[in-house]
Amino acid sequence: MTRLRAQDTDVCGVTAAIAVIDGKWKTLLLWLLESGPHRPGELRRRIPGISEKVLTQALREMETDGLVHREVHDVLPPKTVYSLTEPGRELSELLGPLSDWGHRRLDRMTEAAAAS
């Protein structure tokens, strides 16, 4: 359902943005790729619990949505590198304030739990 919304031009802007980052791993992948290009094996080592299949699926969806660039080097064994595109970098920067809000919310929840 969300993948369909990622291609739908008749939705609100927030829905369009959330559609391309929906899922358990995409925001983490954006965050990791902010630091520069990574090979899939590097990403997998930095994300405990993600399977190779799910990582590949998330990266391919992000590539389809224009957030990441996949570069395949013609060497043996084949070398694939993922990096953020300009729209991917822009989205990652825009998620910064949302992340800040989320941390403030978690802090408030921790304070409320400690006060009870």
Side-chain angles (χ1 to χ4, degrees):
M1 175 81 118
T2 302
R3 289 302 310 149
L4 294 175
R5 283 190 302 209
Q7 307 303 320
D8 188 352
T9 58
D10 192 28
V11 296
C12 79
V14 174
T15 300
I18 289 173
V20 297
I21 59 170
D22 188 47
K24 186 174 181 178
W25 306 109
K26 290 181 183 177
T27 53
L28 181 54
L29 286 165
L30 280 172
W31 180 72
L32 289 171
L33 290 169
E34 273 185 330
S35 65
H38 284 75
R39 297 185 66 186
E42 296 169 330
L43 293 168
R44 190 156 175 236
R45 282 190 294 279
R46 299 211 37 206
I47 306 173
I50 192 169
S51 69
E52 186 172 344
K53 177 186 175 203
V54 171
L55 174 63
T56 299
Q57 180 181 346
L59 288 168
R60 294 253 167 103
E61 287 176 4
M62 293 170 73
E63 182 182 15
T64 298
D65 292 331
L67 302 179
V68 299
H69 171 72
R70 178 176 177 253
E71 185 175 347
V72 180
H73 298 272
D74 192 19
V75 295
L76 288 175
K79 177 181 175 186
T80 304
V81 177
Y82 287 91
S83 58
L84 290 181
T85 61
E86 186 56 38
R89 280 190 292 281
E90 181 183 8
L91 177 59
S92 189
E93 289 174 17
L94 292 170
L95 290 173
L98 183 60
S99 175
D100 294 342
W101 180 88
H103 285 292
R104 288 191 304 273
R105 179 180 177 273
L106 293 172
D107 290 344
R108 286 190 301 272
M109 289 171 50
T110 301
E111 291 168 9
S116 338

